[in-house]
Amino acid sequence: MINCQGSSTVEDVPSRRSLRSALRDAAGVAIGVGVLAAGTLTACTSTVSGSPARLGAPVAGTPRPSPIAFNDCTATLLNAGVPVPKPLKGTVRFGCGQLTVPLDYRHPDGASINLSVIRIHSTLNTTTPVQSLLVNPGGPGGGGLDFGLGLLGQMSPAVTRHFDIVAFDPRGVGQSAPVQCLTNAQKDRFLAASPNTTTRAGILAEERQTRQFSSGCADHVGSGLQFYNTVSTARDMDQLRQAVGDDVMNYLGFSYGTELGWTYAHLFPQLVHTFVLDGAVDPTQVHKENSTVQLKGFESAFGQFAAWCKSAPACSRLPDPTRAVEQIYAAARRAPLSTGSSRRLTESLASTGVIEALYSRSSWPHLADALTAAQHGDGAGLLQLADRYNQRQADGSYANIIDANITISCNDSPARKPPAVSTILRRSQALARRFPLFGSDVGGGPGCLGWQPHRTPVPPPSAPTPKPVLVVGNLHDPATPYQGAVNLTTALGNAGLLSWNGEGHTSYLSGSSCVDHYVNDYLIHGTMPPDHTVCPAK
């Protein structure tokens, strides 16, 4: 399963689990609050399906939200180990709160859900009025709370003195009425399953697995499942903008966060002020079935890893990385590899582990070690990488990113008649031939088979904004290939493109002082980089 989630563009704060516990304690809330826990979603029957043009129209009757009552959670989060840059020591204040939003914006007086929000304020911030910068890490399904806290330790203090950083878990994610489709044990089986999609039997097995997932979502969430989509989240963002007292939207979105950003810009173009979209989802590919763009990106990224391996000490026992991966896949297909635990490394988990390491060049030595060990029958290293991608904790529990990712992705996609098995078989075999490392993992795909029918397709980025948007693209990005940044810049109408000749997923805060300089200058001063700027690899 390849998507736009991957690893965060910033270093993780000390412990996701301890941090989330601290956030829950500070905010006085628990995971599952709102209508998901109360079980009232089944009462919602209205749909949001329709064309992008209809979705772009304002939703009449949506009340202005009340200001968020932020609780001071500074001591709790500092004790949990949230990093604060030295120039900001003693000046940072954290506020934890909740925003209540309509489940269905066409019926704003109906069921509601609560979104968990955090605000990071430096007392050195002297902007008048105080401006906020809303951030999103991607996914779909990526949690924003711990991401925002991680950004604090990575961003220039000049930016955090200019903006309050505001982060939230989007609807259905983390602590914001999270969708749950599978138990932890079911996720173990779901993610480890490795049906051979180049065979009819494998495709039928994958279809059964897909229907079981869809059924699990419907059973656990009910008819309100349809409202967990990107358009609704973009409307949530505008409610959040109002609830923190901002007149315009300042936004920093990574990966899928670029799609969320362009959806906001489509719905509320006049409110767009300072917008950075880094690691762009390609708007020309977003509704296409079986797009090969991302597969090509990961195959290319593995080629870069293999080239690096030729002179890297970590690869001293890995003379041919491509051949090694092919042999590991074949061995896992015959019999899953041992890992030193009760779990074993299947072909699917091995592929996920390789993909995870390609999101960041800093993971390449780990990948080299993991492949070397797996060649000798030890799959522990690749399993660790796969667990990091899938956000599986040491105790066997998962964050709900898998549930949220598939839920939002399927709700965002147009309802289509499922392709015939023979069609999927031809696609799968063609992808496996063209992309030998990752094509079999994706296959022709049954897509959202058995999913609820009321979809809300993401609208195109077609509305020029009064202020220019800064799009940032990495020339060698595996998850969101560079052409997507080019296409998004063109589609937005009033945008500029900053490019980086780097590796890994996204560009800002990824090791390029050149990229960071231009993005920071835009955030603080609104200054666009010169046209056709390409930052060097180092």
Side-chain angles (χ1 to χ4, degrees), residues 365-429:
H366 188 173
L367 178 59
D369 291 341
L371 292 177
T372 301
Q375 279 189 300
H376 297 88
D378 179 4
L382 284 175
L383 182 63
Q384 183 184 50
L385 286 168
D387 284 350
R388 190 167 78 188
Y389 184 94
N390 293 320
Q391 295 192 14
R392 186 185 193 273
Q393 308 297 326
D395 64 0
S397 64
Y398 286 86
N400 83 316
I401 190 168
I402 301 300
D403 315 73
N405 183 279
I406 295 176
T407 293
I408 297 167
S409 297
C410 285
N411 283 338
D412 284 356
S413 66
R416 297 185 177 102
K417 181 180 178 181
V421 172
S422 58
T423 301
I424 296 176
L425 184 61
R426 287 195 303 272
R427 291 172 178 169
S428 297
Q429 292 173 345

Side-chain angles (χ1 to χ4, degrees), residues 517-528:
H517 163 74
Y518 282 118
V519 173
N520 291 341
D521 198 34
Y522 171 79
L523 287 172
I524 297 170
H525 303 294
T527 305
M528 295 290 286

Side-chain angles (χ1 to χ4, degrees), residues 47-217:
T47 70
V48 196
S49 58
S51 68
R54 283 180 57 202
L55 294 170
V59 177
T62 303
R64 184 177 182 87
S66 300
I68 297 175
F70 284 104
N71 299 316
D72 188 340
C73 50
T74 304
T76 301
L77 294 179
L78 290 179
N79 289 337
V82 173
V84 177
K86 285 184 179 179
L88 297 178
K89 291 283 187 182
T91 75
V92 175
R93 301 292 180 265
F94 300 99
C96 295
Q98 289 193 331
L99 173 67
T100 300
V101 297
L103 178 66
D104 174 6
Y105 276 94
R106 296 188 182 275
H107 297 276
D109 295 327
S112 62
I113 54 176
N114 292 328
L115 308 181
S116 290
V117 184
I118 189 165
R119 181 173 62 189
I120 306 169
H121 172 73
S122 169
T123 56
L124 300 177
N125 185 344
T126 58
T127 59
T128 304
V130 173
Q131 301 181 67
S132 302
L133 179 66
L134 184 65
V135 300
N136 179 274
L145 299 181
D146 51 350
F147 178 77
L149 294 169
L151 277 176
L152 175 63
Q154 298 294 310
M155 296 180 81
S156 166
V159 175
T160 48
R161 286 196 295 264
H162 188 77
F163 291 106
D164 284 355
I165 306 301
V166 175
F168 74 117
D169 280 351
R171 59 168 60 202
V173 177
Q175 296 184 39
S176 294
V179 294
Q180 298 289 349
C181 301
L182 301 177
T183 66
N184 291 325
Q186 287 173 328
K187 284 179 186 173
D188 276 344
R189 294 191 294 271
F190 178 77
L191 296 168
S194 306
N196 182 355
T197 58
T198 62
T199 68
R200 181 174 293 271
I203 290 169
L204 292 175
E206 187 179 44
E207 287 188 347
R208 287 193 297 272
Q209 184 182 20
T210 300
R211 287 188 183 277
Q212 288 169 357
F213 188 96
S214 300
S215 177
C217 293

Side-chain angles (χ1 to χ4, degrees), residues 477-527:
D477 193 316
T480 51
Y482 178 71
Q483 188 62 40
V486 176
N487 292 342
L488 179 58
T489 303
T490 300
L492 284 168
N494 185 14
L497 176 61
L498 172 65
S499 305
W500 179 41
N501 186 18
E503 288 124 352
H505 186 35
T506 71
S507 304
Y508 183 50
L509 305 178
S510 295
S512 168
S513 58
C514 171
V515 170
D516 292 354
H517 163 74
Y518 282 118
V519 173
N520 291 341
D521 198 34
Y522 171 79
L523 287 172
I524 297 170
H525 303 294
T527 305

Side-chain angles (χ1 to χ4, degrees), residues 184-343:
N184 291 325
Q186 287 173 328
K187 284 179 186 173
D188 276 344
R189 294 191 294 271
F190 178 77
L191 296 168
S194 306
N196 182 355
T197 58
T198 62
T199 68
R200 181 174 293 271
I203 290 169
L204 292 175
E206 187 179 44
E207 287 188 347
R208 287 193 297 272
Q209 184 182 20
T210 300
R211 287 188 183 277
Q212 288 169 357
F213 188 96
S214 300
S215 177
C217 293
D219 290 345
H220 285 87
V221 182
S223 61
L225 182 65
Q226 63 183 288
F227 302 113
Y228 293 87
N229 58 65
T230 296
V231 169
S232 294
T233 299
R235 295 196 185 282
D236 293 342
M237 287 168 55
D238 199 60
Q239 291 285 289
L240 181 54
R241 173 192 64 80
Q242 297 175 66
V244 298
D246 286 358
D247 293 329
V248 293
M249 176 64 79
N250 302 305
Y251 178 73
L252 169 62
F254 297 88
S255 194
Y256 159 78
T258 66
E259 185 176 331
L260 182 58
W262 93 52
T263 301
Y264 182 91
H266 178 94
L267 297 173
F268 309 102
Q270 296 304 312
L271 295 174
V272 169
H273 190 257
T274 301
F275 249 54
V276 178
L277 305 179
D278 183 2
V281 174
D282 191 335
T284 70
Q285 302 292 322
V286 71
H287 290 317
K288 287 188 177 181
E289 291 183 284
N290 306 301
S291 171
T292 60
V293 172
Q294 199 175 56
L295 284 171
K296 184 178 179 180
F298 276 100
E299 295 270 346
S300 176
F302 190 87
Q304 292 176 313
F305 164 74
W308 168 84
C309 242
K310 291 179 179 179
S311 58
C315 301
S316 59
R317 294 182 294 158
L318 196 66
D320 187 344
T322 302
R323 179 62 178 158
V325 169
E326 293 171 344
Q327 291 175 339
I328 292 165
Y329 287 177
R333 199 177 306 130
R334 291 190 299 270
L337 307 185
S338 63
T339 63
S341 69
S342 59
R343 300 170 65 213

